[in-house]
């Protein structure tokens, strides 16, 4: 579980060339992070299930679907059925996170729990044995291109202590403002999975950007 995972976010890619963008990081990235926003849970609208289904045919990269949506109990399993490797939903949108995690696994994916900027992580630590991944936002969920908030790494440290103490098989992912100048601090705090949008797809060579981020995280 200690190996580094770099998951470029297609939220920062050219939406008219998503397949090409996925291809640009295939072979360098570990996962492709897919930000799904519904204009209800967050005040933004991005891509949905039909795009995920189509894009799934265009790349061999495992999909890390991050659902910033209302009613994940209804919609999350459909992303698993569409072929996502990992489906993460927000704790703030779920009345029974463990039940959703079980449904995701039945549908064929791993289950992730996301914690937004203003949500304390402590209240969810006891649920972590039911999950494969904990996503800690290092910005406010809903928009790309925001500045990294270093104070939120305290949540990562808390989660890492809990995971290590319980010997849990759980990835800790960070999302928001992860770039060359912030990824080392995220890794030092205990993250092992890193979502990077603009730092990858805003670069002249996205594959080289992924390799650089990996080296900095492992540094």
């Amino acid at each position: 579980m200690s190996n580094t995972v770099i998951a470029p976010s297609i939220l920062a890619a050219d939406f008219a060339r998503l397949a090409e963008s996925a291809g640009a990081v295939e072979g360098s990235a570990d996962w492709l992070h897919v930000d799904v926003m519904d204009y209800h849970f967050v005040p933004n609208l991005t891509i949905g299930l039909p795009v995920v289904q189509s894009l799934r045919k265009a790349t061999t990269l495992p999909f890390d679907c991050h659902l910033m949506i209302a009613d994940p109990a209804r919609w999350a399993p459909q992303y698993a059925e569409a072929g996502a490797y990992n489906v993460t939903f927000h704790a703030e949108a779920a009345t029974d996170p463990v039940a959703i995690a079980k449904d995701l696994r039945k549908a064929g994916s791993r289950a992730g729990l996301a914690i937004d900027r203003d949500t304390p992580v402590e209240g969810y630590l006891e649920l972590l044995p039911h999950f494969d991944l904990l996503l800690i936002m290092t910005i406010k969920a809903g928009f790309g291109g925001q500045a990294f908030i270093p104070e939120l790494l305290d949540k990562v440290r808390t989660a890492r202590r809990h995971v290590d103490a319980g010997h849990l098989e759980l990835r800790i992912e960070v999302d928001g403002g992860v770039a060359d100048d912030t990824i080392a601090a995220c890794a030092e705090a205990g993250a092992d999975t890193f979502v990077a949008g603009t730092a990858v797809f805003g670069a002249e060579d996205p594959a080289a950007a992924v390799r650089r981020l990996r080296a900095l995280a492992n540094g």
Side-chain angles (χ1 to χ4, degrees):
M1 293 294 292
S2 60
N3 56 310
T4 299
V5 166
I6 305 295
S9 171
I10 60 169
L11 183 63
D14 183 344
F15 273 28
R17 297 182 174 183
L18 289 181
E20 292 176 40
S21 296
V25 294
E26 198 157 353
S28 59
D30 302 285
W31 300 347
L32 192 66
H33 190 79
V34 182
D35 286 304
V36 177
M37 306 182 195
D38 66 355
Y39 203 57
H40 294 285
F41 179 69
V42 292
N44 201 356
L45 184 67
T46 56
I47 66 176
L49 190 61
V51 175
V52 171
Q53 292 168 329
S54 295
L55 189 59
R56 181 63 282 169
K57 304 170 187 176
T59 178
T60 61
L61 281 169
F63 281 10
D64 179 33
C65 289
H66 176 195
L67 307 185
M68 287 167 271
I69 65 172
D71 200 5
R74 176 183 179 185
W75 298 109
Q78 296 185 48
Y79 287 86
E81 292 165 0
Y85 173 72
N86 182 79
V87 178
T88 297
F89 60 92
H90 270 263
E92 302 86 2
T95 56
D96 191 345
V98 173
I100 300 173
K102 291 178 179 178
D103 288 343
L104 285 171
R105 287 172 170 169
K106 287 178 185 176
S109 78
R110 292 155 48 100
L113 184 68
I115 304 294
D116 204 357
R117 180 192 66 188
D118 300 326
T119 301
V121 71
E122 287 81 3
Y124 296 95
L125 295 176
E126 64 181 25
L127 303 185
L128 296 186
H130 300 280
F131 288 88
D132 303 290
L133 178 144
L134 174 66
L135 168 56
I136 295 176
M137 297 299 299
T138 42
I139 58 170
K140 175 65 177 173
F143 298 92
Q146 297 180 61
F148 179 82
I149 304 172
E151 292 79 9
L152 297 179
L153 291 181
D154 286 341
K155 294 186 192 180
V156 177
R157 296 182 185 98
T158 298
R160 173 52 64 194
R161 287 193 296 269
H162 184 82
V163 167
D164 289 350
H167 304 287
L168 301 181
E169 291 291 315
L170 180 91
R171 286 201 163 275
I172 298 179
E173 183 174 55
V174 286
D175 180 3
V178 177
D180 288 7
D181 59 343
T182 58
I183 194 168
C186 294
E188 185 177 359
D192 53 34
T193 304
F194 307 89
V195 178
T198 305
V200 173
F201 290 117
E204 185 174 342
D205 185 340
V210 170
R211 292 191 292 269
R212 185 170 62 251
L213 287 168
R214 190 186 306 281
L216 290 166
N218 291 336

Coordinates of all heavy atoms in Angstrom, one line a residue, residues 121-122 125 134 136 148-165 172 174 184-191:
V121 N -12.4 15.1 10.0 CA -12.2 13.7 9.6 C -12.5 12.8 10.8 O -12.8 11.6 10.5 CB -10.7 13.5 9.0 CG1 -9.7 13.6 10.2 CG2 -10.6 12.2 8.3
E122 N -12.4 13.3 12.0 CA -12.4 12.4 13.1 C -13.7 11.6 13.2 O -13.7 10.4 13.6 CB -12.3 13.2 14.4 CG -10.9 13.7 14.7 CD -10.5 15.0 13.9 OE1 -11.4 15.5 13.2 OE2 -9.4 15.5 14.0
L125 N -13.4 8.3 11.1 CA -12.3 7.3 11.2 C -12.8 5.9 11.5 O -12.2 4.9 11.0 CB -11.3 7.8 12.3 CG -10.6 9.1 12.0 CD1 -9.8 9.5 13.3 CD2 -9.8 9.1 10.8
L134 N -9.5 6.9 1.3 CA -10.0 8.1 1.9 C -9.5 9.3 1.2 O -8.3 9.4 1.1 CB -9.6 8.2 3.4 CG -10.0 9.5 4.1 CD1 -11.5 9.6 4.3 CD2 -9.3 9.5 5.5
I136 N -9.1 13.2 1.0 CA -9.2 14.4 1.8 C -8.9 15.6 0.9 O -7.9 15.7 0.2 CB -8.1 14.4 2.9 CG1 -8.4 13.2 3.9 CG2 -8.0 15.7 3.6 CD1 -7.4 13.0 5.0
F148 N -4.0 25.6 -3.1 CA -3.8 24.5 -2.0 C -3.8 25.2 -0.6 O -3.3 26.2 -0.4 CB -2.4 23.9 -2.3 CG -2.0 22.8 -1.3 CD1 -2.4 21.5 -1.4 CD2 -1.1 23.1 -0.2 CE1 -2.1 20.6 -0.5 CE2 -0.7 22.2 0.7 CZ -1.2 20.9 0.5
I149 N -4.5 24.5 0.3 CA -4.7 24.9 1.7 C -3.8 24.0 2.6 O -4.3 22.9 3.0 CB -6.1 24.9 2.1 CG1 -7.0 25.8 1.2 CG2 -6.3 25.5 3.6 CD1 -8.5 25.7 1.4
P150 N -2.6 24.5 3.0 CA -1.7 23.6 3.7 C -2.3 23.1 5.1 O -1.9 22.0 5.5 CB -0.5 24.4 3.9 CG -0.8 25.8 3.6 CD -2.0 25.8 2.7
E151 N -3.1 23.9 5.7 CA -3.7 23.6 7.0 C -4.5 22.3 7.0 O -4.6 21.6 8.0 CB -4.5 24.7 7.6 CG -3.8 25.9 7.9 CD -3.4 26.8 6.7 OE1 -4.0 26.5 5.6 OE2 -2.7 27.8 6.9
L152 N -5.0 21.9 5.8 CA -5.8 20.7 5.7 C -5.0 19.5 5.7 O -5.6 18.4 5.9 CB -6.7 20.8 4.4 CG -7.7 21.9 4.3 CD1 -8.4 21.9 3.0 CD2 -8.7 21.9 5.5
L153 N -3.7 19.6 5.7 CA -2.9 18.4 5.8 C -2.9 17.8 7.2 O -2.5 16.7 7.4 CB -1.4 18.7 5.4 CG -1.2 19.0 3.9 CD1 0.3 19.3 3.7 CD2 -1.6 17.9 3.1
D154 N -3.4 18.6 8.2 CA -3.6 18.1 9.5 C -4.6 16.9 9.5 O -4.4 15.9 10.2 CB -4.1 19.2 10.5 CG -3.0 20.2 10.9 OD1 -1.8 19.8 10.7 OD2 -3.4 21.3 11.3
K155 N -5.6 17.0 8.6 CA -6.5 15.8 8.5 C -5.8 14.6 7.9 O -6.1 13.5 8.3 CB -7.6 16.2 7.5 CG -8.6 17.3 8.0 CD -9.7 17.4 7.0 CE -10.5 18.6 7.2 NZ -11.6 18.7 6.2
V156 N -4.9 14.8 7.0 CA -4.1 13.7 6.4 C -3.3 13.1 7.5 O -3.2 11.8 7.6 CB -3.2 14.2 5.3 CG1 -2.3 13.1 4.7 CG2 -4.0 14.8 4.1
R157 N -2.6 13.9 8.3 CA -1.8 13.3 9.4 C -2.7 12.5 10.4 O -2.3 11.4 10.8 CB -1.1 14.5 10.2 CG -0.1 15.2 9.3 CD 0.6 16.3 10.1 NE 1.5 17.1 9.2 CZ 1.1 18.3 8.6 NH1 0.0 18.8 9.0 NH2 1.9 18.9 7.8
T158 N -3.8 13.0 10.7 CA -4.7 12.3 11.6 C -5.1 11.0 11.0 O -5.1 10.0 11.7 CB -6.0 13.2 11.9 OG1 -5.6 14.4 12.6 CG2 -7.0 12.4 12.8
A159 N -5.5 11.0 9.8 CA -5.9 9.8 9.1 C -4.8 8.8 9.0 O -5.0 7.6 9.2 CB -6.5 10.1 7.7
R160 N -3.6 9.3 8.7 CA -2.5 8.4 8.6 C -2.1 7.7 9.9 O -1.9 6.5 9.9 CB -1.3 9.2 8.0 CG 0.1 8.4 8.0 CD -0.1 7.1 7.2 NE -0.4 7.3 5.8 CZ -0.8 6.3 5.1 NH1 -1.0 5.0 5.5 NH2 -1.1 6.5 3.8
R161 N -2.2 8.4 11.0 CA -2.0 7.8 12.3 C -3.0 6.7 12.6 O -2.6 5.7 13.1 CB -2.0 8.9 13.4 CG -0.8 9.8 13.4 CD -0.7 10.6 14.7 NE -1.8 11.5 14.8 CZ -1.8 12.8 14.4 NH1 -0.7 13.3 13.8 NH2 -2.9 13.6 14.5
H162 N -4.2 7.0 12.2 CA -5.3 6.0 12.5 C -5.1 4.8 11.6 O -5.3 3.7 12.1 CB -6.6 6.7 12.2 CG -7.8 5.8 12.5 ND1 -8.3 5.7 13.8 CD2 -8.6 5.0 11.7 CE1 -9.3 4.9 13.8 NE2 -9.5 4.4 12.6
V163 N -4.8 5.0 10.3 CA -4.6 3.9 9.4 C -3.5 3.0 9.8 O -3.6 1.8 9.9 CB -4.4 4.4 8.0 CG1 -3.9 3.3 7.0 CG2 -5.7 5.0 7.4
D164 N -2.4 3.6 10.2 CA -1.2 2.9 10.6 C -1.4 2.1 11.9 O -1.0 1.0 12.1 CB 0.0 3.8 10.7 CG 0.5 4.3 9.3 OD1 0.0 3.7 8.3 OD2 1.3 5.2 9.3
A165 N -2.1 2.8 12.8 CA -2.3 2.2 14.1 C -3.2 1.0 14.0 O -3.1 0.0 14.7 CB -2.9 3.2 15.1
I172 N -4.7 6.8 1.2 CA -5.1 8.2 1.5 C -4.7 9.1 0.4 O -3.6 9.3 0.0 CB -4.4 8.7 2.8 CG1 -4.7 7.8 4.0 CG2 -4.7 10.1 3.1 CD1 -4.1 8.1 5.3
V174 N -5.1 12.8 -1.7 CA -5.4 14.3 -1.6 C -5.7 14.9 -3.0 O -5.2 14.4 -4.0 CB -4.1 15.0 -1.0 CG1 -4.0 14.7 0.4 CG2 -2.8 14.6 -1.8
A184 N 5.2 17.2 -2.2 CA 6.1 16.7 -1.1 C 5.5 16.8 0.3 O 5.6 15.9 1.1 CB 7.5 17.3 -1.2
A185 N 4.9 18.0 0.5 CA 4.3 18.2 1.8 C 3.1 17.2 2.0 O 2.9 16.7 3.2 CB 3.8 19.6 2.0
C186 N 2.4 16.9 1.0 CA 1.3 16.0 1.1 C 1.8 14.6 1.4 O 1.2 13.9 2.2 CB 0.5 16.0 -0.2 SG -0.4 17.5 -0.7
A187 N 2.9 14.2 0.7 CA 3.5 12.9 1.0 C 4.0 12.8 2.4 O 3.8 11.8 3.1 CB 4.6 12.6 0.0
E188 N 4.7 13.8 2.8 CA 5.2 13.9 4.2 C 4.1 13.8 5.2 O 4.3 13.1 6.3 CB 6.0 15.1 4.4 CG 6.8 15.2 5.7 CD 7.6 16.4 5.9 OE1 7.7 17.3 5.0 OE2 8.3 16.6 7.0
A189 N 3.0 14.3 5.0 CA 1.8 14.3 5.9 C 1.2 12.9 6.0 O 0.5 12.5 6.9 CB 0.8 15.3 5.5
G190 N 1.5 12.1 4.9 CA 1.0 10.7 5.0 C 0.1 10.3 3.8 O -0.4 9.1 3.7
A191 N -0.1 11.2 2.8 CA -0.8 10.8 1.6 C 0.1 9.9 0.7 O 1.3 10.0 0.7 CB -1.2 12.0 0.8

